[in-house]
Amino acid sequence: MPSYVAPIQDYRFLLHHVIKMQDHTDLPPYQEATPDLIDAILEEAGKISTELLHPLNQSGDAQGCRLDGDQVLTPDGFKDAYRTYCQGGWLSLVGNPEYGGQGLPRILGLAVDELAVSANWGLAMYAGLTNGAAAAIDVWGTDIQKQAYLPRMLSGDWAGTMNLTEPHCGTDLGLIRTKAEPAEDGSYRLTGTKIFISAGDHDLTENIIHLVLARVPGGPEGVKGISLFIVPKILIKDDGTLGERNAVSCGALEHKMGIHSNATCVMNYDGATGYLLGDLHEGMRAMFTMMNEARLGVAVQGLAIAEIAQQNAATYARDRLQGRALTGPKAPDKAADPIIVHPDVRRNLMLNRAFIEGARALVMWTGLQVDLSHSHPDEDRRKGALDFVALLTPVLKSYLTDEGFQATSRALQCFGGHGYIREWGMEQFMRDARIAPIYEGTNGIQAMDLIGRKLPADNGRAIRAYFALIQQAIDDIPEDDRLKNYAASLEQAKEALQKASLWLMEHAMKNPDHAGGAAQNYLNLMALNALGHMWLLMAKEAYSHLQLNDGDADFMHNKLKTADFFFAHILPDSQAYLAKITAGADSIMALEAEAF
Amino acid sequence: MPSYVAPIQDYRFLLHHVIKMQDHTDLPPYQEATPDLIDAILEEAGKISTELLHPLNQSGDAQGCRLDGDQVLTPDGFKDAYRTYCQGGWLSLVGNPEYGGQGLPRILGLAVDELAVSANWGLAMYAGLTNGAAAAIDVWGTDIQKQAYLPRMLSGDWAGTMNLTEPHCGTDLGLIRTKAEPAEDGSYRLTGTKIFISAGDHDLTENIIHLVLARVPGGPEGVKGISLFIVPKILIKDDGTLGERNAVSCGALEHKMGIHSNATCVMNYDGATGYLLGDLHEGMRAMFTMMNEARLGVAVQGLAIAEIAQQNAATYARDRLQGRALTGPKAPDKAADPIIVHPDVRRNLMLNRAFIEGARALVMWTGLQVDLSHSHPDEDRRKGALDFVALLTPVLKSYLTDEGFQATSRALQCFGGHGYIREWGMEQFMRDARIAPIYEGTNGIQAMDLIGRKLPADNGRAIRAYFALIQQAIDDIPEDDRLKNYAASLEQAKEALQKASLWLMEHAMKNPDHAGGAAQNYLNLMALNALGHMWLLMAKEAYSHLQLNDGDADFMHNKLKTADFFFAHILPDSQAYLAKITAGADSIMALEAEAF
């Protein structure tokens, strides 16, 4: 059975020394988040993840969800664990304090998310979706709506969902057919079928607040005629108590590859009562509020599953005796050496470690930008931070989930045949990990979002600022050969990204397929730059701690050793990405569709 | 539900025009394999795969195997399908004609394998393991043993297995504990536990012939004291009829990520009667007879699963309407364009196609070398061919299974959320595909086999011959810009491989960890060279067919278009592999084991 320990030392290093939260006291939520409070939150989140959530992960996968009539039942133990999690305030951590949330920095919410998802992805999703729905109501709801829903959602008494996909439409939401007919009382009656609805129904809460995209008859065609509606599972009476069951129900549970403990529902709306959220026909805009936060959340899932897979692979590699080290026996008193002595096993563990620690830094750095974009008193700072969030969200969603899946696969591989067997838990991690590159917009869509929307926005303001930021990190590196080498490697990767950007500007105008064909490679090249940026910042901090004889010297040395690996064994892929981007789309598009 | 069509046109192109089987009539088995016979075999194998094997693939996964007492029951329909398959002569295709086999070229056996595995991996494995065990008996058995077992195994009446792994020993077979005590009648009594035994027990055949590695007390320690034994499930009486049940049984079925329809058994030997196969203490040598063939078979599995996943992804991408082409609507009369218009979808399909067609050519080319090594009248030619088989077997096993898994994942991704749902079948392909990089020696072990054993053997004779072969293909390319560009790209990749080889020779002596740390990247770099070699040969053939106005022009053009893609979008990874190889192992090995 797999085990889990929260990576708290790494988070402390990141939050206190790399991100330096204590330097951002111009952000109101950061004023209250003292280092002591941050440490206490991390400790407690680690404890609840390890002790409450993780023990239900494997049994939850084995048992899965069941449909009993039109009521979905979650696996044994989930209801109690969820209640304890919510009562501990974990769901409401970053929620709006006016409605019962704790108003802590979003960066901490992302950190706690990683821990919860590592421990139990399926269970953590119920809370994550509730938070996403609450965030959308918080931004787009009327005061009455916020009063009606947010306190009960943030307390965990009610849950939330997002209802976008229909059988014939996933990515292309302009094809949505679910209808919302206006009723006389100002509410709407929704009719249609939604599929792939995560946490669409369950028994964890007394009510579920569905946010549903639908079309009001007579509106514009395509995405411009879509509105967002609040559709409670149980209707709420004027006095705030629960009334009748609404005409919405789970018609079927999907049988999936993984995340079995999270109910993926076909939802049937049969004249269900709904309430417009935000403006008529502005549903896409409102939905994107949820989607951007959700996409960062999915990026964290990629990181989280890699972390728990890596922990278990490392433990196994230290325990499993097989073969002898190439450089001579390391455990001569035993029948064989532990397999961690073998360079190829070690290489896989290092690939994972360098990815995980870099990705975690990147999530935290992006989390800081999220907080800056929400809370900085200066509008320009807010705008600049929002540029970075917008630019990096697709990069994180795509790269962290693709590479999170690969890292999980490498971790499984360390187990040999045991990795393929259920009892060790690794194959569950793989099955769970495979959803993340798909949902909340496939990774191909993320790449198109980056290249089609985020890059050209405001004449490339965001990417230019990002290049300047990386250059500054390169320029700021201390006079030390090792660090200077890192900086020189990053500069090469940056130049590759700049060349790729120029190539795109030049060629995509003539033929947009060049943009589409290059998009995923471009995104990955940017991700390597972003990770390189993080590794440079982390290495600089580790170096200066060692210079000052400050902190845990082993930890700092290990950071530098892992940085060595990142710059030598991962960053070189930059040049291959550049070669593929500049190879263009001609050979990608040359075949007739029928020839496949 | 997924569908499958055998890629027969591609096989005809490869066998008749690239491999040119008809030019190898100095090989006895090739004399009988006329083009007409080959085509008929491919057609019939395609038919039986599509009509008999494939319809049981999804139900076999859903139902899995069950243990009833100590008897394993296979999924519904498997027994009849297996009998029909064997009665059709598919199992005995390349078997020794002296014992009822058809003695056809092994290259055809590999082609038929691909079709069967695409259609139903779990079912095909029962036949594959029987063939592997029969091959070992054919090489190492006494005449009496061959007479006793081979006719019944090749007819499919009896099945076969390989029993290597024990709970504490997988890769490191020197740790084997299963004991074989000599009995007075010259047989042995085997006692011990074997795990992960594929097809270890089942109800498809009236008997199962286990080949079991065990240790005769008093022999040398480690791998030098291991012998191979024949242990029938049902003992065979002197008259050849079946007698008593032997003391071997399936103690448990493993719960696995995939290949559910193939029984993976814990096998208990409780004083089971066994018969020495080959010489005492020479079990490893005998086992390798099976293992090398088995490793090529696993490489084919990687190719096969990619093929069926790709077929279904292409169909889905042509059918699914979502979004509009970047270059303007392609299906203006429909609500949206088919997603195959999107360059990123197309890029994934092209990555798969270029891999699959290159890998198939490489399997066929290696299959020719296998046949040459067995049947060529000239000893030097046999030896030279065997060099190539030995060199390339680990490359094919590792690269084709790793990339087969990635290709399957890319195919799944084309389905979006539908790829994650059981009914579409893609998630089964992924779960099935994940075993191939693990079994028959993990891919890390393949890389060590290549770099530690195959490269240095006979002072690098094999790799030097291989470089010469690639150079010859480069030199032989016709005067045509497009083809010359391919050749120039391959020459760069070859130079990268040569630089990597030199770097290894220089550094691995000083520190063997440099070899271990570089092994997987080196193997992948060699695989890209091998695929590049195949693409050059195929492109040359397609080009000359077009020059001569011979054959299906669309097919030939598509080969060249796919070659364009391979050289532009896949081969550039060569330089990244070289960079990682020459980065060395220092940063791979720098951390203490406890730091992970």
Side-chain angles (χ1 to χ4, degrees):
Chain A
M1 186 167 161
S3 63
Y4 177 68
V5 179
I8 290 177
Q9 191 177 15
D10 209 35
Y11 268 114
R12 285 190 180 143
F13 174 69
L14 289 173
L15 295 176
H16 302 328
H17 304 299
V18 180
I19 302 297
K20 300 186 209 293
M21 280 182 71
Q22 67 284 1
D23 290 358
H24 291 281
T25 44
D26 41 359
L27 296 180
Y30 283 53
Q31 286 160 18
E32 284 174 43
T34 62
D36 283 354
L37 179 65
I38 292 168
D39 288 356
I41 288 172
L42 291 170
E43 288 288 351
E44 282 305 308
K47 211 169 142 186
I48 207 160
S49 296
T50 301
E51 295 173 9
L52 179 76
L53 305 182
H54 184 60
L56 296 174
N57 191 41
Q58 228 175 345
S59 58
D61 175 67
Q63 194 180 7
C65 295
R66 293 146 291 158
L67 187 59
D68 183 15
D70 67 352
Q71 170 67 47
V72 173
L73 305 176
T74 56
D76 294 345
F78 269 47
K79 192 168 176 172
D80 287 346
Y82 189 76
R83 193 182 303 126
T84 305
Y85 187 78
C86 295
Q87 285 172 350
W90 297 106
L91 186 143
S92 63
L93 203 70
V94 307
N96 188 338
E98 281 180 57
Y99 304 101
Q102 297 172 64
L104 282 161
R106 282 168 166 81
I107 193 172
L108 289 179
L110 290 166
V112 169
D113 263 6
E114 187 206 313
L115 277 44
V117 173
S118 285
N120 194 323
W121 183 323
L123 184 48
M125 273 178 77
Y126 294 103
L129 286 156
T130 302
N131 257 320
I137 294 173
D138 199 5
V139 173
W140 300 100
T142 61
D143 281 347
I144 291 170
Q145 286 174 332
K146 292 196 232 183
Q147 280 296 351
Y149 299 106
L150 292 182
R152 309 299 298 275
M153 292 175 81
L154 292 176
S155 69
D157 292 335
W158 298 353
T161 74
M162 297 165 63
N163 285 235
L164 290 76
T165 305
E166 299 182 5
H168 60 288
C169 96
T171 297
D172 190 349
L173 293 172
L175 304 176
I176 277 178
R177 289 183 197 145
T178 296
K179 250 187 249 170
E181 309 258 8
E184 288 188 4
D185 63 356
S187 69
Y188 292 79
R189 297 292 169 272
L190 277 80
T191 303
T193 300
K194 296 285 181 178
I195 64 167
F196 299 160
I197 306 309
S198 296
D201 194 54
H202 54 77
D203 55 359
L204 302 180
T205 56
E206 58 185 26
N207 202 3
I208 301 174
I209 308 305
H210 303 293
L211 299 194
V212 186
L213 285 184
R215 199 177 281 288
V216 175
E221 302 249 309
V223 290
K224 287 177 185 164
I226 294 172
S227 307
L228 186 59
F229 297 88
I230 298 173
V231 183
K233 174 181 175 182
I234 315 279
L235 292 167
I236 298 140
K237 292 193 279 193
D238 289 341
D239 64 359
T241 60
L242 296 181
E244 302 266 296
R245 181 78 193 252
N246 202 352
V248 48
S249 63
C250 171
L253 279 174
E254 301 285 3
H255 297 284
K256 309 185 300 286
M257 184 180 193
I259 53 167
H260 291 162
S261 65
N262 196 277
T264 304
C265 301
V266 176
M267 298 300 294
N268 295 322
Y269 292 83
D270 300 309
T273 299
Y275 310 96
L276 187 66
L277 176 61
D279 293 331
L280 190 68
H281 307 323
E282 294 287 346
M284 289 302 290
R285 215 173 129 209
M287 209 63 185
F288 267 108
T289 308
M290 282 167 71
M291 213 122 73
N292 277 330
E293 306 235 345
R295 286 175 175 180
L296 271 185
V298 175
V300 169
Q301 291 175 331
L303 163 64
I305 200 75
E307 169 68 29
I308 186 168
Q310 164 81 349
Q311 287 188 17
N312 284 280
T315 301
Y316 187 83
R318 276 190 299 261
D319 289 348
R320 174 77 171 173
L321 304 178
Q322 209 78 178
R324 288 294 182 192
L326 297 170
T327 50
K330 297 289 174 282
D333 52 322
K334 295 191 175 145
D337 288 341
I339 61 171
I340 201 165
V341 305
H342 302 309
D344 190 64
V345 171
R346 188 71 74 110
R347 190 183 59 91
N348 280 306
L349 293 176
M350 286 304 295
L351 282 168
N352 287 359
R353 185 187 182 101
F355 160 66
I356 288 166
E357 294 183 7
R360 184 175 290 131
L362 188 54
V363 169
M364 290 297 96
W365 189 87
T366 309
L368 172 65
Q369 305 306 318
V370 171
D371 283 323
L372 288 167
S373 74
H374 277 104
S375 312
H376 200 280
D378 181 80
E379 199 195 328
D380 281 349
R381 289 293 303 278
R382 287 203 304 277
K383 215 184 263 178
L386 193 60
D387 275 0
F388 287 141
V389 174
L391 184 71
L392 286 173
T393 294
V395 176
L396 269 74
K397 195 280 176 181
S398 174
Y399 190 84
L400 268 57
T401 61
D402 273 347
E403 192 59 22
F405 178 71
Q406 300 297 342
T408 304
S409 185
R410 286 190 292 261
L412 183 153
Q413 188 72 16
C414 293
F415 283 73
H418 297 278
Y420 202 65
I421 302 298
R422 291 218 184 126
E423 63 177 299
W424 289 88
M426 301 302 288
E427 63 91 35
Q428 181 193 346
F429 297 148
M430 261 216 94
R431 289 185 289 101
D432 290 352
R434 190 60 187 83
I435 189 59
I438 297 174
Y439 63 12
E440 298 304 333
T442 65
N443 286 355
I445 290 297
Q446 305 301 321
M448 287 308 296
D449 177 47
L450 173 65
I451 218 164
R453 226 169 287 154
K454 303 302 176 58
L455 274 192
D458 305 303
N459 281 316
R461 187 177 69 202
I463 183 76
R464 280 182 282 119
Y466 196 57
F467 282 134
L469 194 80
I470 292 177
Q471 190 58 52
Q472 195 190 328
I474 291 169
D475 296 342
D476 285 354
I477 212 72
E479 281 297 337
D480 172 85
D481 283 351
R482 190 180 195 179
L483 296 187
K484 285 283 182 197
N485 279 337
Y486 298 163
S489 299
L490 181 57
E491 192 146 25
Q492 281 179 12
K494 197 200 76 164
E495 283 165 11
L497 183 61
Q498 285 172 319
K499 280 182 201 163
S501 307
L502 284 173
W503 188 92
L504 274 180
M505 280 165 62
E506 203 174 315
H507 293 80
M509 293 280 223
K510 289 179 235 160
N511 177 1
D513 281 343
H514 283 313
Q520 191 71 64
N521 286 315
Y522 186 91
L523 183 148
N524 289 341
L525 177 54
M526 189 181 290
L528 286 187
N529 272 269
L531 291 176
H533 180 210
M534 290 303 111
W535 273 111
L536 204 57
L537 298 184
M538 288 192 286
K540 188 180 158 190
E541 274 312 308
Y543 171 85
S544 88
H545 275 77
L546 287 167
Q547 292 285 311
L548 299 168
N549 237 328
D550 181 23
D552 178 343
D554 283 346
F555 180 88
M556 302 303 164
H557 280 300
N558 289 341
K559 273 288 169 215
L560 289 170
K561 289 172 182 174
T562 309
D564 288 341
F565 181 89
F566 174 83
F567 287 103
H569 286 275
I570 294 180
L571 205 60
D573 282 327
S574 305
Q575 302 304 325
Y577 286 129
L578 177 61
K580 293 173 201 175
I581 291 164
T582 56
D586 291 346
S587 67
I588 295 175
M589 304 304 291
L591 287 175
E592 298 296 320
E594 294 67 34
F596 284 94
Chain B
M1 186 166 161
S3 62
Y4 176 67
V5 179
I8 290 177
Q9 189 174 17
D10 209 34
Y11 267 113
R12 286 190 180 143
F13 173 70
L14 289 172
L15 295 175
H16 303 326
H17 303 299
V18 180
I19 302 298
K20 302 184 209 292
M21 280 182 70
Q22 67 282 4
D23 291 358
H24 292 280
T25 43
D26 41 358
L27 296 181
Y30 283 52
Q31 287 159 16
E32 285 174 44
T34 61
D36 283 353
L37 178 65
I38 292 169
D39 288 356
I41 288 173
L42 291 171
E43 289 287 349
E44 283 306 308
K47 211 168 142 188
I48 206 161
S49 297
T50 301
E51 293 173 11
L52 180 76
L53 305 182
H54 184 60
L56 297 172
N57 190 42
Q58 226 173 348
S59 59
D61 175 67
Q63 194 180 7
C65 295
R66 292 144 293 156
L67 187 59
D68 181 16
D70 68 351
Q71 171 66 48
V72 173
L73 306 177
T74 55
D76 294 346
F78 270 48
K79 193 168 178 174
D80 286 345
Y82 189 76
R83 193 183 303 126
T84 305
Y85 186 79
C86 295
Q87 285 172 349
W90 297 106
L91 187 142
S92 63
L93 203 70
V94 307
N96 189 338
E98 283 181 55
Y99 304 101
Q102 298 172 63
L104 281 161
R106 283 170 166 80
I107 194 172
L108 289 180
L110 290 167
V112 169
D113 262 7
E114 188 207 313
L115 277 42
V117 174
S118 286
N120 194 325
W121 183 321
L123 184 47
M125 274 179 77
Y126 293 102
L129 286 155
T130 301
N131 257 320
I137 293 173
D138 199 6
V139 174
W140 300 102
T142 62
D143 282 344
I144 293 172
Q145 287 175 330
K146 291 195 232 184
Q147 282 296 354
Y149 300 106
L150 292 182
R152 309 300 298 275
M153 292 175 81
L154 292 177
S155 69
D157 293 335
W158 299 353
T161 73
M162 298 166 61
N163 285 236
L164 291 75
T165 305
E166 299 183 4
H168 60 289
C169 96
T171 297
D172 190 350
L173 293 171
L175 303 177
I176 276 178
R177 290 184 195 146
T178 296
K179 252 187 247 170
E181 309 259 8
E184 289 189 1
D185 62 357
S187 68
Y188 292 79
R189 297 290 170 272
L190 277 79
T191 304
T193 301
K194 296 284 181 179
I195 64 168
F196 299 160
I197 306 309
S198 295
D201 194 56
H202 54 77
D203 55 0
L204 302 181
T205 56
E206 59 185 25
N207 203 1
I208 302 174
I209 309 304
H210 302 292
L211 299 193
V212 186
L213 286 184
R215 198 177 281 290
V216 175
E221 303 249 308
V223 291
K224 288 176 185 166
I226 294 173
S227 307
L228 186 59
F229 297 88
I230 298 173
V231 183
K233 174 181 175 182
I234 315 280
L235 291 167
I236 298 141
K237 290 193 280 195
D238 289 341
D239 63 1
T241 60
L242 296 181
E244 303 267 296
R245 181 75 194 252
N246 202 351
V248 47
S249 63
C250 171
L253 278 175
E254 301 286 2
H255 298 284
K256 309 186 298 288
M257 186 179 189
I259 51 167
H260 291 161
S261 66
N262 196 277
T264 305
C265 301
V266 175
M267 298 299 295
N268 296 322
Y269 292 84
D270 299 311
T273 298
Y275 310 96
L276 187 65
L277 176 62
D279 293 333
L280 191 67
H281 307 323
E282 294 287 346
M284 290 302 289
R285 215 173 128 210
M287 208 64 184
F288 267 106
T289 309
M290 282 168 74
M291 212 122 71
N292 277 331
E293 306 236 344
R295 285 175 175 179
L296 271 186
V298 175
V300 170
Q301 292 175 331
L303 162 64
I305 200 75
E307 169 67 29
I308 186 169
Q310 166 80 349
Q311 286 189 17
N312 285 279
T315 302
Y316 188 83
R318 275 191 299 262
D319 289 348
R320 174 77 170 173
L321 304 178
Q322 210 76 178
R324 288 295 181 190
L326 297 170
T327 50
K330 297 288 173 282
D333 51 322
K334 293 190 176 148
D337 287 342
I339 61 171
I340 202 167
V341 305
H342 302 309
D344 190 63
V345 171
R346 188 71 73 109
R347 190 182 59 91
N348 280 304
L349 293 176
M350 286 304 296
L351 282 167
N352 287 0
R353 184 186 183 103
F355 160 67
I356 287 166
E357 295 183 6
R360 183 176 292 132
L362 188 55
V363 170
M364 289 298 94
W365 188 87
T366 308
L368 172 66
Q369 306 305 318
V370 172
D371 283 323
L372 289 167
S373 74
H374 277 103
S375 312
H376 200 280
D378 181 80
E379 197 196 329
D380 281 350
R381 289 294 303 278
R382 286 204 303 276
K383 214 184 262 179
L386 193 61
D387 274 0
F388 287 141
V389 174
L391 184 71
L392 286 173
T393 294
V395 176
L396 268 72
K397 195 281 176 180
S398 175
Y399 190 84
L400 268 56
T401 61
D402 273 347
E403 192 59 20
F405 178 71
Q406 299 298 341
T408 305
S409 185
R410 286 190 291 259
L412 183 153
Q413 187 73 16
C414 293
F415 284 73
H418 298 278
Y420 200 65
I421 302 298
R422 292 217 184 129
E423 62 177 298
W424 289 88
M426 301 303 289
E427 66 90 34
Q428 180 193 347
F429 297 147
M430 249 204 113
R431 288 185 289 101
D432 290 351
R434 190 60 188 84
I435 189 59
I438 296 174
Y439 65 11
E440 297 305 334
T442 65
N443 285 355
I445 290 298
Q446 305 300 321
M448 287 309 297
D449 178 47
L450 172 66
I451 217 162
R453 225 168 288 154
K454 304 303 175 59
L455 274 192
D458 303 304
N459 281 318
R461 187 178 67 202
I463 182 78
R464 278 183 285 118
Y466 197 58
F467 282 133
L469 193 80
I470 291 176
Q471 189 60 51
Q472 194 190 327
I474 291 169
D475 296 341
D476 285 353
I477 211 72
E479 281 298 335
D480 171 86
D481 284 351
R482 192 180 192 177
L483 296 185
K484 285 282 182 199
N485 278 337
Y486 298 163
S489 298
L490 180 57
E491 191 146 27
Q492 281 180 14
K494 198 201 76 167
E495 283 165 11
L497 184 60
Q498 285 172 320
K499 279 183 202 163
S501 306
L502 286 173
W503 188 92
L504 273 180
M505 280 165 61
E506 201 173 316
H507 292 80
M509 294 280 223
K510 288 179 236 161
N511 178 1
D513 281 344
H514 283 313
Q520 191 71 63
N521 285 315
Y522 186 91
L523 183 148
N524 290 341
L525 177 54
M526 188 180 291
L528 286 188
N529 272 270
L531 291 176
H533 180 210
M534 291 303 112
W535 272 112
L536 204 56
L537 298 184
M538 289 193 284
K540 189 180 159 191
E541 274 312 307
Y543 172 84
S544 88
H545 275 77
L546 287 168
Q547 293 285 310
L548 300 168
N549 238 328
D550 181 25
D552 179 343
D554 283 346
F555 180 89
M556 301 304 164
H557 280 300
N558 288 341
K559 273 288 170 215
L560 289 170
K561 288 173 183 175
T562 309
D564 288 342
F565 181 88
F566 174 83
F567 287 104
H569 286 275
I570 294 180
L571 203 61
D573 281 329
S574 305
Q575 304 303 325
Y577 287 128
L578 176 62
K580 292 173 201 178
I581 291 164
T582 56
D586 291 346
S587 67
I588 295 175
M589 304 304 290
L591 286 174
E592 297 297 322
E594 294 67 32
F596 284 94

